[in-house]
Amino acid sequence: MNYPSIFNDVLGPVMRGPSSSHCAASLRIGRICRDLMDGDIKNVVVQYDPNGSLATTHKSQGSDMGLFGGLLGWTADDERLPHYQHGIAEAGIDIRIKIEDIRADHPNTYKIALFNDREMRELTAISTGGGMIEVVEIDGSPVSMFGDFHETLVYVESAEKVLAYLGATIDCDALEVSAGRTRFIGIKSQAFLPDNILKELLAMEEVRFIKQLNPVLPVMSRKNLRVPFITCAEMLAYNRDKNLDLWELAVHYESARGNISHEAVYERMRDLVGIMRTSIHQGLKGTRYEDRILGCQSAGFQAKMDSGQLVGGDVLNRIILFVTSMMEMKSSMGVIVAAPTAGACGALPGAVLGAVSALGLSEDDSIKAMLAAGMIGVFISAHATFAAEVGGCQAECGSGSGMAAAAIVGLAGGSLDQALSASSMALQNSLGMICDPIANRVEAPCLGRNIMAASNALSCANIALADYNALIPLDQVVETMDQVGKSIAHELRCTALGGLSITKASLEIEARLNALSGAEELDLAARKFKIC
Ligand code: SF4
């Protein structure tokens, strides 16, 4: 069973770049590649499947930026990321990207070969949405690594004796011999093996060499991990004799999931809320970035709002302003929190912090609202997806909307049942939303979809507070989201091969931006051919 963590899977990473499933995920993959090569990389060959999402989006949506930054050992919020090509050139790393049939099952598959003067290693990984990853193969042998353990790979000629030694010597979370082209023993643990054990291993004639891969997620997993509930129905049963609010249930869940105290969960959320607030306020001061479609629009919106030139609605207009500002920070490579993704980083924080600001509420109200939103996100992450490549924009902005609706009910002092109804209705309204980025950039219609998601959240919070009947329980809506997402056509799931992405105007903007940034000329004929 998948037990998502609020801080791994739902809110975060803290990052720069247009897309978490492209930039932050690829950066994490790059960092694991760097560890696999002990930090010494000379040449890299990256393969993307022509039928996946990355073949058409790896450059414009930031996979190159993230992957190259990760290969250099940078963090997801490193300010050098926009200059990744310079960094790679300076490090003397030669990278080739090939679009080839790699028989990928997942639309976001990275097949990477790494070389230095001594060795060649191979790694295949997928980006699963919101910056999350899974490494599925190393050196031709299947693995399953999510970046939530210290991973040690002991490459062996034969495993038996080494396995017996490890079984008797170390306490770890998992110990497994690979089945595939290369023989290694994979060890998952809370910390790397002590030096004396490594020394003893390397002295054994069966051991060839050892690789150590650092975790890339903020919250670790562990053996026999248990959570108090993983569906909404289970949560309600858990709460029967407790009468907790949604934000308190989120604290209980995350504390069990991450093996951290209730206070630590609360304070970690305080940090994220602080980063979100800073992003919005910096965005309002104005942002600049060359490879961008839209200019700075939040300043104009604020001017008209302040001078009474907009249709009234203080809370909604403050929310629209905050969503826009956050999206402008993202599009100018500023630091944002993926919430639940970078493409949908505006809807939830804009709705919650906009409502808090308009209603004159406190920082603690913001933290509690964001925890409540995180709890809804756990259910979506566990039973559907945040990846637009898998589920369209309903997975990103739709999820943000469902999370924000529950959070706003909490801000208004509504009940747990009303929060869950609001979330159910907001998700119902988002089903089937496609992903068709204009000019192959995560900017438009993303801005509008984030604003719509936040507006939908506010409306659904209000109708839930007025006790409208959601009819379909949240668990069943999430299940439906998953099914609907899978039935959206490939062209409409973040491939830039359908919808608005292939309108004449979109292709013209894309060609103009590519010319400006010195990127390859857009092959319109090839894109149109693919569309046919
Ligand atoms: S359309 Fe939606 S899912 Fe697609 S890139 Fe934009 S925000 Fe993300």
Side-chain angles (χ1 to χ4, degrees):
M1 181 62 214
N2 168 25
Y3 298 132
S5 149
I6 292 177
F7 298 120
N8 281 351
D9 302 68
V10 183
L11 298 176
V14 177
M15 58 168 287
R16 291 177 197 268
S19 160
S20 47
S21 65
H22 288 81
C23 315
S26 63
L27 186 135
R28 285 169 167 168
I29 292 168
R31 287 181 68 106
I32 293 173
C33 288
R34 183 178 169 86
D35 285 351
L36 191 62
M37 298 298 285
D38 303 314
D40 179 11
I41 304 172
K42 291 266 186 312
N43 300 80
V44 183
V45 177
V46 187
Q47 290 170 284
Y48 297 129
D49 198 290
N51 295 315
S53 161
L54 294 164
T56 44
T57 61
H58 66 89
K59 182 166 175 56
S60 58
Q61 296 195 22
S63 294
D64 289 0
M65 180 177 83
L67 183 63
F68 295 9
L71 292 171
L72 291 166
W74 295 352
T75 57
D77 61 350
D78 195 302
E79 61 185 17
R80 294 168 293 181
L81 275 170
H83 315 292
Y84 64 96
Q85 278 165 322
H86 178 70
I88 282 290
E90 232 179 19
I93 302 175
D94 180 61
I95 303 182
R96 289 186 193 190
I97 294 178
K98 296 181 174 176
I99 311 299
E100 291 175 336
D101 182 2
I102 52 171
R103 296 168 188 270
D105 296 331
H106 193 283
N108 285 343
T109 301
Y110 297 75
K111 190 166 174 23
I112 302 171
L114 303 138
F115 305 81
N116 63 22
D117 293 341
R118 299 180 314 280
E119 62 181 335
M120 189 276 258
R121 310 250 71 86
E122 290 172 296
L123 178 146
T124 303
I126 55 175
S127 152
T128 55
M132 299 298 286
I133 59 153
E134 182 180 6
V135 179
V136 295
E137 194 177 282
I138 289 182
D139 292 333
S141 293
V143 295
S144 179
M145 297 177 183
F146 298 92
D148 52 356
F149 283 105
H150 288 78
E151 305 269 1
T152 303
L153 304 179
V154 184
Y155 285 72
V156 292
E157 299 291 352
S158 62
E160 221 168 80
K161 195 170 150 203
V162 184
L163 205 53
Y165 166 80
L166 286 169
T169 324
I170 65 165
D171 180 22
C172 64
D173 295 272
L175 189 64
E176 202 173 14
V177 183
S178 66
R181 200 182 70 217
T182 310
R183 182 61 62 94
F184 52 76
I185 299 171
I187 304 163
K188 294 183 191 295
S189 50
Q190 300 298 307
F192 284 132
L193 305 183
D195 284 350
N196 61 320
I197 303 273
L198 291 175
K199 239 188 220 166
E200 285 181 22
L201 279 168
L202 287 167
M204 296 172 84
E205 61 183 27
E206 291 83 359
V207 174
R208 295 167 59 208
F209 53 88
I210 296 173
K211 297 288 180 180
Q212 293 180 307
L213 314 178
N214 283 285
V216 291
L217 293 180
V219 176
M220 301 279 284
S221 290
R222 62 192 183 281
K223 184 166 56 180
N224 303 326
L225 174 62
R226 290 278 176 274
V227 291
F229 43 82
I230 196 60
T231 65
C232 191
E234 287 173 11
M235 181 182 75
L236 291 172
Y238 174 84
N239 200 33
R240 208 165 284 142
D241 56 349
K242 298 185 179 65
N243 201 24
L244 300 172
D245 284 338
L246 187 54
W247 74 268
E248 292 172 298
L249 288 159
V251 170
H252 280 227
Y253 175 90
E254 188 65 11
S255 167
R257 169 60 183 80
N259 200 21
I260 46 181
S261 69
H262 288 195
E263 293 71 29
V265 173
Y266 195 87
E267 289 308 311
R268 203 174 278 205
M269 190 58 87
R270 186 191 300 281
D271 291 345
L272 288 185
V273 167
I275 295 167
M276 290 172 179
R277 192 179 302 115
T278 302
S279 304
I280 288 171
H281 289 298
Q282 277 186 1
L284 288 174
K285 288 183 190 154
T287 50
R288 285 176 66 84
Y289 190 66
E290 209 166 279
D291 189 14
R292 181 171 159 184
I293 309 171
L294 301 167
C296 225
Q297 301 178 114
S298 52
F301 188 90
Q302 182 156 31
K304 296 222 168 185
M305 186 175 86
D306 292 346
S307 60
Q309 294 180 64
L310 303 179
V311 176
D314 285 357
V315 179
L316 179 60
N317 283 335
R318 183 60 58 96
I319 285 174
I320 294 172
L321 178 68
F322 279 19
V323 173
T324 308
S325 165
M326 185 66 102
M327 295 297 284
E328 288 174 353
M329 272 299 276
K330 173 197 68 62
S331 296
S332 58
M333 302 293 148
V335 173
I336 53 112
V337 178
T341 66
C345 70
L348 168 64
V352 169
L353 299 181
V356 164
S357 163
L359 299 171
L361 301 175
S362 68
E363 185 194 22
D364 281 311
D365 291 318
S366 309
I367 297 166
K368 290 172 185 173
M370 217 55 86
L371 282 163
M375 194 65 253
I376 302 294
V378 164
F379 299 138
I380 298 173
S381 177
H383 306 291
T385 180
F386 291 137
E389 298 82 355
V390 179
C393 196
Q394 66 164 25
E396 291 203 16
C397 290
S399 298
S401 191
M403 293 159 65
I408 295 173
V409 168
L411 290 175
S415 68
L416 173 59
D417 283 348
Q418 287 170 333
L420 299 177
S421 282
S423 183
S424 167
M425 291 188 281
L427 292 175
Q428 290 177 36
N429 297 347
S430 308
L431 290 180
M433 196 151 60
I434 62 170
C435 171
D436 52 348
I438 292 173
N440 209 352
R441 268 59 178 181
V442 186
E443 222 184 321
C446 316
L447 172 61
R449 300 235 168 107
N450 273 264
I451 290 171
M452 187 188 71
S455 312
N456 180 45
L458 178 63
S459 304
C460 290
N462 271 340
I463 60 176
L465 287 164
D467 290 324
Y468 281 31
N469 190 340
L471 293 174
I472 314 292
L474 183 61
D475 285 334
Q476 293 178 36
V477 181
V478 171
E479 211 176 288
T480 305
M481 265 182 89
D482 192 42
Q483 286 160 8
V484 170
K486 285 175 184 153
S487 63
I488 295 175
H490 162 75
E491 287 80 1
L492 303 173
R493 284 191 272 134
C494 207
T495 51
L497 293 173
L500 295 173
S501 306
I502 56 164
T503 53
K504 186 166 171 279
S506 172
L507 293 170
E508 282 169 3
I509 299 168
E510 188 175 352
R512 178 169 54 77
L513 286 176
N514 284 6
L516 272 179
S517 67
E520 291 160 27
E521 215 172 288
L522 186 63
D523 187 349
L524 294 181
R527 286 281 286 282
K528 279 190 181 140
F529 175 73
K530 272 188 154 177
I531 297 150
C532 297

